[in-house]
Amino acid sequence: MPRSRAVLSVLAVTASALLVSGTAEASADPPLPSAIFRATHNSYSGNVDGAKNSITYQLDHGVRFIELDIHDNGYASAHDYSIGHDSPGDLVDHAGNPASNRLRDWLDVIDTWSAGHPAAAPIVVALDIKDDLTDNPSYAAGNLAALNQELTSVFGARLLRAEDYPASSPSVDALRGRVLALLSGNGQSRTLYKRDIGDNPAIAINGRGQVVEVHDSGSGTLWYWTGTYGADGRVTWLRHGRYDTGVTPAVALNDNGDLVEVHQSENESTLWYHVGRLGADGEITWSPSRRYDDGILPTIRFTDAAGTRLREIHRSQSNSQNWDWEGVLDAGAMTVSWGGHGKTSDARYDKATSTSGTARVHVWNGADGPTPSRTLRVDTDRHAGDRIRYQQVAFDEFQKGDSAELQQGALFYAAPAGESAFLTAARQAGRLARGWDFDSAGQATDPMVTYPATNRPYAAWYQDLLAQAGAIE
């Protein structure tokens, strides 16, 4: 069976009997997946491409789905993403809109409107990611943690985070005045938002509940995640980034937020270390990489309560003999003074497990449903099997032709408006469905898509169709 038909078959089997057909007989306060809303395609393009007018005008006239195409070009200098179709500024209509192409300025317009209209139906802000954000090596370079931060800082308490979406669908009235962010566009970025993969993971936790995880990519680069162990016993991941090249990393973390990372070179049996300083925001300031020995499979621990004395144990590059080093951390200079060194019969440390008091964290690889076997997972003393991933601030859209990973748990489905079978099946299954380039009444489905995203929202045919469907404002 072709994959697209298989997806539709699954959707049809799970169809919700509670859905209405999208006619005017719909409940005055339906569950969100049963409602219909006015929506625009490439909302930022105003009258440059279509006839939409400004973002404020669209919201004033009942549009509740706004789409912004974003790029990461120049993020490191601008500290923001840029609006535009094929490139920053492309097809952007500045008439009545922000004079700049910076995403924050456009989000501020939506936030200001939402704050002034607390009784309005929930607004979905779709960010169509035009560039691959997975190659951005840090928060400072504009990775998905930076995008999360921008959304939460602009919308604040009005933002309904995806991770807080109720298990039972809320009614439209219950969500009035709220904003939902949606990631669309680049598939690699959307996939990384839901999970990460890597090899040879290691983890450390300190007495303040700070957590650092390190792993290698499987192709010679080293990456880190930082987070906090919460009162609920789960780890909330804050920052993610690339910090060096190499393989088989390990990490030790003291209660001051000082860390020492050790790893093996990718193509040689040489051992290297970094000292790092973990900030309150979860970002790590790294020292240069320094070589300290030859060998493979290094592991490391702090051995005193003060978090200054270290012991590193690794294996010989030529046989099964283990060797160790004693070290003293100079946190100010961000260096380690290595002292005693010799053979040891002690086993290497379990770098995948770390404890502090009653808190325990353990990192491992394993598939989670349709995710790859190299998916990074974390157990704690109170929860097992969570993914190591970005906070689920935004919803992740599933589009026709996407992988099963992106379909798993997806609330929002999308396709060109002409893909009526896919969109109809999504609606029947209780999903929020968007059909983009919805530019004629003949593209209407039954049930109607949740968000018929048009380029001409004020055309008589669109207004009549949405009024008949009982569109909610």
Side-chain angles (χ1 to χ4, degrees), residues 52-175:
K52 297 179 281 283
N53 295 329
S54 70
I55 297 295
T56 297
Y57 188 95
Q58 292 173 49
L59 292 168
D60 283 341
H61 288 77
V63 172
R64 295 295 177 263
F65 186 104
I66 299 292
E67 180 190 18
L68 302 175
D69 292 354
I70 65 170
H71 300 263
D72 63 359
N73 307 58
Y75 185 96
S77 57
H79 306 296
D80 202 356
Y81 308 90
S82 298
I83 300 291
H85 192 255
D86 291 334
S87 61
D90 180 44
L91 298 182
V92 176
D93 189 350
H94 292 288
N97 286 319
S100 83
N101 295 321
R102 293 189 176 185
L103 174 61
R104 181 177 290 272
D105 293 339
W106 291 71
L107 295 180
D108 281 340
V109 169
I110 300 169
D111 180 61
T112 298
W113 192 94
S114 179
H117 299 79
I123 301 168
V124 173
V125 180
L127 302 179
D128 189 334
I129 303 170
K130 292 297 186 179
D131 302 324
D132 183 359
L133 302 188
T134 66
D135 59 4
N136 294 345
S138 66
Y139 176 93
N143 68 10
L144 288 158
L147 187 58
N148 269 350
Q149 177 61 30
E150 186 152 334
L151 290 168
T152 56
S153 64
V154 170
F155 294 115
R158 275 186 289 279
L159 185 68
L160 175 62
R161 299 162 66 108
E163 59 198 14
D164 294 332
Y165 187 81
S168 57
S169 295
S171 71
V172 171
D173 283 355
L175 296 179

Side-chain angles (χ1 to χ4, degrees), residues 150-418:
E150 186 152 334
L151 290 168
T152 56
S153 64
V154 170
F155 294 115
R158 275 186 289 279
L159 185 68
L160 175 62
R161 299 162 66 108
E163 59 198 14
D164 294 332
Y165 187 81
S168 57
S169 295
S171 71
V172 171
D173 283 355
L175 296 179
R176 289 188 178 274
R178 306 297 297 275
V179 175
L180 286 67
L182 177 65
L183 300 187
S184 182
N186 183 266
Q188 290 176 284
S189 301
R190 287 183 288 129
T191 301
L192 178 61
Y193 195 72
K194 298 187 72 168
R195 56 87 177 138
D196 193 15
I197 59 174
D199 294 335
N200 302 303
I203 199 164
I205 185 172
N206 68 13
R208 296 160 58 189
Q210 294 176 304
V211 179
V212 175
E213 185 273 345
V214 293
H215 63 272
D216 68 63
S217 65
S219 57
T221 57
L222 296 170
W223 293 80
Y224 69 90
W225 284 93
T226 68
T228 57
Y229 176 97
D232 62 355
R234 294 186 185 274
V235 178
T236 298
W237 299 100
L238 303 174
R239 295 289 174 89
H240 176 46
R242 186 176 70 221
Y243 66 96
D244 205 347
T245 59
V247 294
T248 64
V251 65
L253 176 67
N254 70 20
D255 290 349
N256 296 321
D258 302 313
L259 61 98
V260 178
E261 179 271 352
V262 291
H263 64 270
Q264 176 186 337
S265 60
E266 179 185 7
N267 298 315
E268 299 177 353
S269 301
T270 55
L271 298 176
W272 301 74
Y273 82 93
H274 288 276
V275 174
R277 184 167 297 119
L278 179 58
D281 60 0
E283 198 54 79
I284 298 175
T285 302
W286 294 96
S287 76
S289 180
R290 298 181 174 94
R291 183 176 174 176
Y292 67 96
D293 201 359
D294 294 332
I296 61 174
L297 304 175
T299 62
I300 193 165
R301 285 282 192 276
F302 282 106
T303 58
D304 66 333
T308 58
R309 303 194 68 83
L310 295 148
R311 189 184 185 203
E312 185 274 346
I313 306 176
H314 64 269
R315 199 175 82 190
S316 168
Q317 69 273 28
S318 56
N319 55 53
S320 61
Q321 177 65 53
N322 284 344
W323 293 75
D324 71 349
W325 279 97
E326 302 290 337
V328 178
L329 171 66
D330 184 334
M334 299 187 77
T335 60
V336 173
S337 297
W338 299 103
H341 173 49
K343 295 180 179 179
T344 179
S345 59
D346 293 343
R348 288 176 293 116
Y349 294 114
D350 176 9
K351 69 173 189 174
T353 304
S354 180
T355 61
S356 179
T358 60
R360 179 185 61 83
V361 289
H362 173 72
V363 65
W364 53 288
N365 298 95
D368 183 13
T371 71
S373 60
R374 296 170 61 228
T375 299
L376 294 169
R377 313 281 293 278
V378 64
D379 299 337
T380 74
D381 51 292
R382 295 163 61 186
H383 292 280
D386 288 345
R387 299 181 191 179
I388 297 178
R389 63 180 181 178
Y390 293 99
Q391 295 177 58
Q392 301 296 283
V393 171
F395 293 83
D396 218 334
E397 190 173 66
F398 172 66
Q399 298 183 1
K400 187 177 186 296
D402 279 342
S403 68
E405 287 187 77
L406 283 168
Q407 185 181 12
Q408 185 186 33
L411 177 64
F412 287 84
Y413 281 50

